[in-house]
Every structure is written in structure tokens, then in C-alpha cells.
Amino acid sequence: MRESSALATPRRQRCAIYTRKSSEEGLEQEFNSLDAQREACEAYTASQKAEGWVLLRDRYDDGGFSGGTLERPALKRLLADIEAGLIDVVVVYKIDRLSRSLMDFAKLVEVFDRCGVTFVSVTQSFNTTNSMGRLTLNILLSFAQFEREVIGERIRDKFAASRKRGMWMGGFVPLGYDVKDRKLVVNEAEAALVRRIFERFIHLGSVTLVVRELQAEGRLTKRGKPFDKGIVYKLINNRVYVGEAVHKGMSYPGEHEAIIDRDTFDKVQAILASNGHARAAVTRSRTSALLRGLIFTESGRAMTPASTKKGSRLYRYYVSTDAIRGRKPAGTAAPLRLPADVVEAAVVREIRRLVRAPEIIAQAVAAARRETPDIDECDVVAAVDRFTEVWSALFPAEQARIVKLLVERVTVTENGLAVDLRTDGLGTVVREMLASKPEEAVA
């Protein structure tokens, strides 16, 4: 009798170990967290040798990367090798090493299933090929995501409590101050320039004229850049200079020394308030349409800004080039003429909604990190949360610039508007917002 069937060699299973650590702290040690994870996974893989498990030589280690996003170099290599059919089993120490986001993990499991790959956690025994294993996986992932969200809430609460006590919580240091022992201290040379800017604005009543003087003198900001109107506006509105700490629009007594006295600061605010409406009206009249060059019909025709005036009132529109030339495109009932105020407001609402979507936030983090690798994910989430507040405070020209950074294309259809975001542009906006927080404005 032949016994080959009873002694058949198990099918060879190619195993890849994935390790991750959120911070870079301790990675320089001879035996770090990634090594500890890999050692446990190697031991588990060796115990499955009888099942045909063979460990691959390639290492997939992400040190210093958050589990809240899929934008990780080693994870991308792992997924590419899975798609190429080079891996049969993915081994991790704990499932949250692979992802802390339930939505992201669902995407990973979909890739695993499509490619016939098994997922194994050496400290949490389950099998993703059956329904009970999937239920266990979802439960564990829900707790991992809950833990991540609770940590984020604790960080935000601690930040808010510290700001209420007037403490400096990091970020870009305003002109006029240095940081020593995690506290703001006055830099007398820079403070003299800050006082002069406030005094010249009170005397001239114009930010434009103040900027011209600063540029003529070759003055530079704390980051070595020439002054412009935006920087000066942020500086003269920054309550840190009167010894206050600001958080979410609320002011609290700060631990640091004031550079500007209250009377001077109030004079500046009074000047800004007295001519603000007239300045805004002039700015609006000189500002081009918010969606110029971005809005198109469903058939691909550009919609150009147009206006009519009845009495003293100006009515603005976006009109299709087909309508301008008297043509009616076939096969679509989409409008060819839209009120500019209505469509611009709708696009801004859609932008506000889209930038809060988890997948867009993850893309924003990735885009911002391409220019600023050490940017913190919590800071990006906080910046996105402040978008509505920041948008309302911008002048129309600055709003138009932000829209061109954020929007790739607006398409007018029968059912409404379709807004395509530019991920790289969102990363740029996030970096600018982090560099110019209201309570820590850069100058």
C-alpha cells in the first residue's frame, strides 16, 4: 500500500512580517520595539514550519509612522508585493500594528481576500478565513480605533486646559519672543520692531503703507522672509502681544510678559474696525470671480464669469461658453447659467464637508508630510477643524487663492455640483494654517 497521501508535504506558505512603531523614540537602541515585534513573529512563524510556513527575507518595518493612515513606505511595499503574488501570509504582533483605523483595515482585508492572503496576529489568535475570525477582528479593530480617538481627545483636552492657564504649548514662536524652558520670553531687539509696527500703523492707518516702509528698510520676519500685508495683519491682531493666550477664539491671561500695552492694542483694533467695511468693499470690487477657470459644464465647456447691473445692484453669474455662443448642447439638461453667489456658496460648503472626511484628512497628512515629514497628525486634524473659522476671517482675494489651491475642478450636472479636490493643495493649506495659528501667529 502506498502512503504518500498520508505523508504529503504541506503547501509552501510564504510569510511576511510587518512591524510598526508610531514614534521614532527608542529606534536608535540596539534592540528596539520593532526588533521585539519581529522576534515574536519569527518565533511564531517557526512554530508553523510543519504547515509549510517559510519566512521571507524582506523586512517591512515602519518606524515613526502612525497607524491612523495607510501612507507608510513599508506598508506600501508590502501591499505591492501582495499584489504581485509574492506573499501568502502576513504576520504581525498585534492587529493595531497594521492599522488603527477600522475603515483602513477594511481596505487592507479586501486586498488580502482578493489576493488569497491570510492575516495572522501572534498575540490575538484568530483566522480571517471564517466568519467568527472576522467578527473577532472587527471587535478588536473597533477597540483599537476607540483607543486612538480617546488619545486624541485627551491631547486636545490637555492642550485646551494648558491654554486656559496661559501656558505656551509650542508651535512657531511669534516675532518679539523666544522660548526658554517651554515659556515665552521677550526678545528685546525683535520687540522693538513689533512696537514700531503698531505705532506706524496707528500713525499711517494703512497696512499697505506700513509694509512698504518695512520692505524699503529690508526688514525680515522671524523666519527670514520679507513682510507682506498678511503677516502684518496677523501681527497687529495677535493678542499674545498684550500678554494673552488664545484658544478657539477665547482669550486667557498668559504666563508671558506683554510687549504692547492695552491702550495701543485697542487703538489699532479701533482703526481696523472703523475702516474695515470700506476696505472690504474695495477689495471685493477688485477681486476676480472665486471659481474663475475652475467651473465647467458636464460636457466639458468652461463657464465664465459675467455680470449685469440694475440700478446700484450688481448681479454676478457663471455662464457656459455654449450659452454665450447661442448653442444648446444635446444630451444634457444641466443649467448653462448660474447665479455666482449661490454656486460659490455651494462650493465652499462642499469643500468644508469634504475636508472633514477621514480619507481626505489621511491624504492631507500624506501631502503635508511630503514637504514637512515631521508634521503631527493631531495638528493636521486640529487645522482641518479650524478651517471654517479661518475661512470666515479671510479677505476675498485670499479666499480665491485658497479655493484655487484646494479645487481641481467644479462640474455642473443635472443633479448639482461635483467638486474635485486637489490633495497636494490641501497639504499646502494645512501647512499654512499650522504656520499661522491665530494664537501663535508668525511674524
Side-chain angles (χ1 to χ4, degrees):
M1 179 181 294
R2 300 178 64 181
E3 299 179 355
S4 59
S5 59
L7 301 176
T9 303
R11 186 174 71 87
R12 184 171 179 264
Q13 299 286 313
R14 297 161 296 177
C15 303
I17 294 174
Y18 177 80
T19 64
R20 182 186 64 79
K21 186 176 186 297
S22 296
S23 68
E24 295 183 355
E25 182 180 356
L27 291 180
E28 73 284 353
Q29 297 176 2
E30 184 176 350
F31 186 79
N32 56 45
S33 173
L34 298 181
D35 296 324
Q37 293 176 47
R38 186 170 185 84
E39 185 177 83
C41 293
E42 287 177 346
Y44 185 86
T45 303
S47 71
Q48 302 298 311
K49 187 175 182 180
E51 302 296 325
W53 286 28
V54 177
L55 181 62
L56 298 176
R57 293 182 180 180
D58 289 340
R59 294 179 67 106
Y60 303 91
D61 304 324
D62 276 322
F65 288 90
S66 167
T69 172
L70 298 181
E71 295 298 325
R72 291 171 261 157
L75 179 61
K76 288 184 175 180
R77 285 195 296 108
L78 177 70
L79 294 176
D81 289 348
I82 288 174
E83 295 281 4
L86 304 178
I87 296 172
D88 300 308
V89 181
V90 175
V91 184
V92 297
Y93 182 70
K94 290 176 65 176
I95 61 171
D96 65 358
R97 297 302 86 194
L98 195 60
S99 177
R100 281 182 175 268
S101 167
L102 188 59
M103 181 178 64
D104 287 345
F105 203 93
K107 296 177 183 177
L108 294 176
V109 170
E110 182 182 347
V111 175
F112 294 166
D113 287 347
R114 186 175 71 253
C115 299
V117 171
T118 303
F119 170 69
V120 175
S121 167
V122 301
T123 59
Q124 299 156 318
S125 179
F126 58 84
N127 188 338
T128 60
T129 60
N130 59 54
S131 58
M132 183 57 68
R134 290 181 181 277
L135 174 62
T136 305
L137 175 64
N138 285 330
I139 293 172
L140 291 172
L141 272 173
S142 296
F143 277 103
Q145 181 165 326
F146 170 74
E147 180 184 10
R148 176 170 170 261
E149 292 173 355
V150 167
I151 291 172
E153 290 174 359
R154 288 174 181 168
I155 292 172
R156 288 191 291 272
D157 291 345
K158 180 181 178 182
F159 187 93
S162 299
R163 294 301 291 169
K164 289 178 181 179
R165 295 179 62 185
M167 298 173 62
W168 171 254
M169 294 302 295
F172 291 110
V173 183
L175 184 72
Y177 290 98
D178 293 325
V179 174
K180 291 183 181 179
D181 300 325
R182 301 186 64 181
K183 292 185 178 181
L184 290 178
V185 295
V186 176
N187 179 320
E188 288 299 339
E190 294 179 358
L193 177 58
V194 171
R195 295 187 188 102
R196 182 169 178 271
I197 291 173
F198 274 82
E199 292 167 359
R200 293 305 293 163
F201 178 74
I202 292 173
H203 178 73
L204 299 170
S206 168
V207 168
T208 301
L209 297 178
V210 173
V211 170
R212 287 177 184 172
E213 286 190 358
L214 294 171
Q215 291 179 346
E217 295 170 4
R219 300 281 191 171
L220 300 176
T221 68
K222 199 174 187 74
R223 302 176 69 186
K225 296 181 179 180
F227 281 90
D228 58 33
K229 290 178 65 175
I231 291 173
V232 173
Y233 272 117
K234 291 169 186 174
L235 188 148
I236 61 180
N237 279 290
N238 193 352
R239 306 188 74 85
V240 73
Y241 293 121
V242 287
E244 295 182 358
V246 180
H247 181 66
K248 294 187 179 297
M250 299 295 293
S251 297
Y252 307 95
E255 292 183 332
H256 59 281
E257 180 184 347
I259 291 177
I260 302 298
D261 61 81
R262 177 68 61 177
D263 183 58
T264 300
F265 189 83
D266 289 344
K267 285 181 181 178
V268 167
Q269 301 313 305
I271 294 172
L272 289 172
S274 65
N275 62 8
H277 293 296
R279 184 173 59 249
V282 172
T283 304
R284 278 193 295 270
S285 67
R286 296 177 180 176
T287 301
S288 60
L290 194 66
L291 302 178
R292 184 189 297 274
L294 299 175
I295 186 167
F296 299 83
T297 65
E298 200 169 13
S299 59
R301 297 291 186 183
M303 299 189 74
T304 61
S307 63
T308 60
K309 193 171 184 180
K310 293 184 179 180
S312 61
R313 190 167 183 179
L314 183 70
Y315 296 86
R316 298 187 303 115
Y317 302 91
Y318 287 100
V319 184
S320 166
T321 52
D322 282 328
I324 293 173
R325 295 170 183 172
R327 297 185 304 212
K328 177 69 175 178
T332 179
L336 303 180
R337 182 185 180 94
L338 292 170
D341 292 339
V342 174
V343 72
E344 288 171 359
V347 169
V348 171
R349 285 197 302 271
E350 183 65 2
I351 291 173
R352 289 172 175 170
R353 185 188 70 81
L354 288 173
V355 298
R356 291 179 177 271
E359 62 271 24
I360 298 298
I361 293 176
Q363 293 173 15
V365 174
R369 279 179 174 164
R370 281 195 282 272
E371 294 293 331
T372 311
D374 58 347
I375 199 167
D376 186 78
E377 181 180 357
C378 291
D379 287 342
V380 174
V381 174
V384 171
D385 287 342
R386 290 194 302 115
F387 181 82
T388 298
E389 174 188 342
V390 171
W391 175 267
S392 301
L394 295 176
F395 288 106
E398 186 67 2
Q399 290 179 345
R401 185 184 72 86
I402 295 298
V403 167
K404 284 180 171 56
L405 278 174
L406 291 178
V407 177
E408 181 74 33
R409 185 185 182 96
V410 177
T411 304
V412 179
T413 70
E414 297 181 41
N415 301 319
L417 301 174
V419 180
D420 298 325
L421 289 185
R422 295 179 63 241
T423 303
D424 289 340
L426 183 55
T428 300
V429 172
V430 165
R431 290 197 306 276
E432 290 182 0
M433 291 175 65
L434 292 178
S436 58
K437 297 178 183 178
E439 67 272 26
E440 300 161 4
V442 180

